Amino acid sequence: MHQSNTHSPEVSFHHAPAGDEQVKKIIRTTVILSVITIIELALGFVIYFLHKSPDYSHSLVLFIKGVIVILSLAKAFYIVGVFMHLGDEVRNLIMTIVVPLLLFVWFIAAFLWDGDSWLNLRNTDAGHRPYPEKQIVAPKDAKKPGVE
Amino acid sequence: MATAATSDIKWWAGGRSPFNVEYGKLMMWYFLMSDAFTFGAFLISYGTIRFSQNYWPDPNHVFNAFPFAGHANLPLAFVSLMTFILIISSVTMVLAVHAGHHMDKKGVIKWMAWTIVGGIAFLGCQAWEWTHLITGHHPVLIDGVVQEIGTTVSRNPWGPEVPGMMHDGMQVTKTGPVAFGGYFFGITGFHGFHVASGVVINIIMLLMTLNGVFDRKGHYQMIEKAGLYWHFVDLVWVFVFLCFYLI
């Protein structure tokens, strides 16, 4: 089995498993990615019909959106781990890629929080008037009434 | 196989690469990590603005058209097609890398060609979608006058409905948040630019394969590096798809 060796004595990896096994893994991952995408689309349609239905529940829609986010993270895991072969690399390398990405945890939380604070300032004239009742009503024909 | 012995190897003792990869591939990984932060920053700023607005257009309402389907209401349909095109082109790319591991020149040529076809198909879809958004006019009440406007970086016809007001059989709306068009065209454009450069890189790789460059070198590592970039483009689309079309 001769494969992706560079011709340097310092690099000694062999991480291309025998042909059929690898092809099977690729096909399995393709199926997983397709199935997750189909589930995401189905959930997208559920949100679409919930928007139209009279018993629109804001928290239910938020919950479904949360599920879609988690499914997307699963897709990212499969693309990076299998298609990009990060899962087959040395632990040292995996950590130098994955650990810096933890910054995203702060990045997302801080900035969405900031957006929410901005909304609050907008609706209260920066604290000069009380917050108007949040109008989360069933939007007619998939549209939310504005508070503008 | 070396895998059985990996845990016993002293990676930092010198004489070997502690990451056990070739320099170019390692640098491609770090480039992609920094690119992930660029895309992340764009998407997070989009999220911040969206969180700060009382009203945001519903994607199922904005993206509901399909080529040659007229005015049929088909939410999510076209973008699903684009998503599947990109997933499949990612699969053909893995198969090209796999063929490269086995020094199978014909296999590399075949799968690289299919990957390029997938990339071009995706770009074609995006061009159609942009054209449709920019040129598709909707009646909007601006300063007391109904005007027909399309979606651009400075205009957004997808605002809240004006109750009971119709224009040529179409519901009249107010203008929506201006940021919508800017973020949509900015982020999908930046992603499309990555797809376009990926297609160019893949074409160069295909030509080098056809000329036997990698056979002479004795390995197909360049295909692996191009593959990393191409999968990253697919990975970014997962999140663009999530942020603009699904939620």
Side-chain angles (χ1 to χ4, degrees):
Chain A
M1 218 169 81
H2 60 102
Q3 67 284 78
S4 55
N5 293 319
T6 38
H7 301 287
S8 141
E10 293 169 5
V11 175
S12 58
F13 66 100
H14 310 260
H15 61 57
D20 287 345
E21 195 189 314
Q22 184 68 8
V23 172
K24 267 185 202 152
K25 201 175 170 189
I26 294 171
I27 292 172
R28 196 173 60 226
T29 310
T30 311
V31 171
I32 292 172
L33 288 175
S34 306
V35 169
I36 295 178
T37 307
I38 290 166
I39 295 172
E40 283 183 341
L41 289 168
L43 289 173
F45 277 109
V46 169
I47 293 178
Y48 176 65
F49 289 113
L50 277 176
H51 270 305
K52 293 194 144 187
S53 83
D55 42 305
Y56 171 83
S57 151
H58 190 66
S59 45
L60 179 62
V61 168
L62 270 186
F63 173 75
I64 295 174
K65 287 180 175 179
V67 172
I68 296 176
V69 171
I70 292 167
L71 287 173
S72 290
L73 290 174
K75 273 165 82 175
F77 175 81
Y78 278 107
I79 291 173
V80 176
V82 179
F83 283 0
M84 297 170 89
H85 299 289
L86 187 61
D88 301 331
E89 301 289 358
V90 176
R91 199 183 142 82
N92 288 336
L93 174 55
I94 297 176
M95 286 304 146
T96 61
I97 306 289
V98 172
V99 172
L101 292 181
L102 289 178
L103 264 175
F104 271 120
V105 175
W106 164 82
F107 201 178
I108 293 169
F111 278 77
L112 293 187
W113 199 335
D114 199 40
D116 193 55
S117 155
W118 197 349
L119 178 70
N120 188 50
L121 296 175
R122 192 195 296 284
N123 286 340
T124 60
D125 286 345
H128 286 291
R129 60 183 166 85
Y131 201 102
E133 280 302 302
K134 275 194 182 173
Q135 299 188 28
I136 302 164
V137 197
K140 197 169 159 266
D141 192 21
K143 288 202 156 198
K144 288 178 196 165
V147 192
E148 300 167 278
Chain B
M1 294 291 285
T3 37
T6 22
S7 54
D8 304 328
I9 296 175
K10 289 196 173 71
W11 291 107
W12 300 100
R16 62 167 66 246
S17 156
F19 292 154
N20 208 19
V21 282
E22 184 225 355
Y23 176 78
K25 196 172 158 188
L26 183 67
M27 291 303 122
M28 178 56 94
W29 268 111
Y30 291 147
F31 163 68
L32 294 180
M33 187 180 68
S34 70
D35 219 17
F37 277 106
T38 310
F39 271 109
F42 285 160
L43 286 171
I44 290 167
S45 81
Y46 161 77
T48 308
I49 295 298
R50 194 170 157 172
F51 265 53
S52 78
Q53 301 284 330
N54 282 305
Y55 175 86
W56 197 260
D58 181 341
N60 285 321
H61 193 72
V62 180
F63 308 105
N64 68 348
F66 201 88
F68 311 114
H71 289 291
N73 178 31
L74 299 165
L76 285 173
F78 192 54
V79 72
S80 323
L81 175 69
M82 289 167 75
T83 303
F84 277 106
I85 288 174
L86 216 50
I87 291 180
I88 297 307
S89 83
S90 214
V91 174
T92 56
M93 186 79 227
V94 194
L95 292 169
V97 172
H98 180 70
H101 282 155
H102 294 272
M103 301 298 286
D104 170 10
K105 184 176 168 184
K106 274 192 183 151
V108 174
I109 292 169
K110 177 174 81 176
W111 294 118
M112 285 306 283
W114 279 115
T115 308
I116 292 164
V117 169
I120 291 171
F122 180 86
L123 287 171
C125 289
Q126 203 168 40
W128 183 86
E129 181 160 83
W130 277 38
T131 311
H132 180 80
L133 267 181
I134 296 168
T135 58
H137 287 156
H138 302 269
V140 179
L141 191 62
I142 301 170
D143 298 331
V145 183
V146 175
Q147 294 183 28
E148 298 213 345
I149 61 171
T151 314
T152 66
V153 289
S154 57
R155 296 218 135 165
N156 176 4
W158 308 101
E161 290 178 3
V162 181
M165 195 170 183
M166 301 295 279
H167 178 84
D168 288 345
M170 285 168 90
Q171 173 69 51
V172 176
T173 59
K174 294 181 194 168
T175 51
V178 169
F180 179 78
Y183 276 113
F184 179 78
F185 291 119
I187 295 176
T188 60
F190 195 58
H191 175 262
F193 172 67
H194 276 72
V195 178
S197 44
V199 167
V200 172
I201 292 169
N202 285 347
I203 289 174
I204 294 169
M205 291 303 128
L206 178 61
L207 292 177
M208 286 171 85
T209 313
L210 285 169
N211 288 332
V213 174
F214 304 127
D215 270 343
R216 282 196 295 281
K217 273 190 179 174
H219 60 80
Y220 279 75
Q221 286 226 331
M222 284 300 280
I223 301 285
E224 260 184 72
K225 286 175 239 171
L228 282 179
Y229 182 76
W230 190 253
H231 295 311
F232 177 76
V233 165
D234 182 31
L235 178 70
V236 169
W237 182 253
V238 168
F239 291 99
V240 172
F241 176 54
L242 172 73
C243 296
F244 281 102
Y245 297 93
L246 285 173
I247 64 178

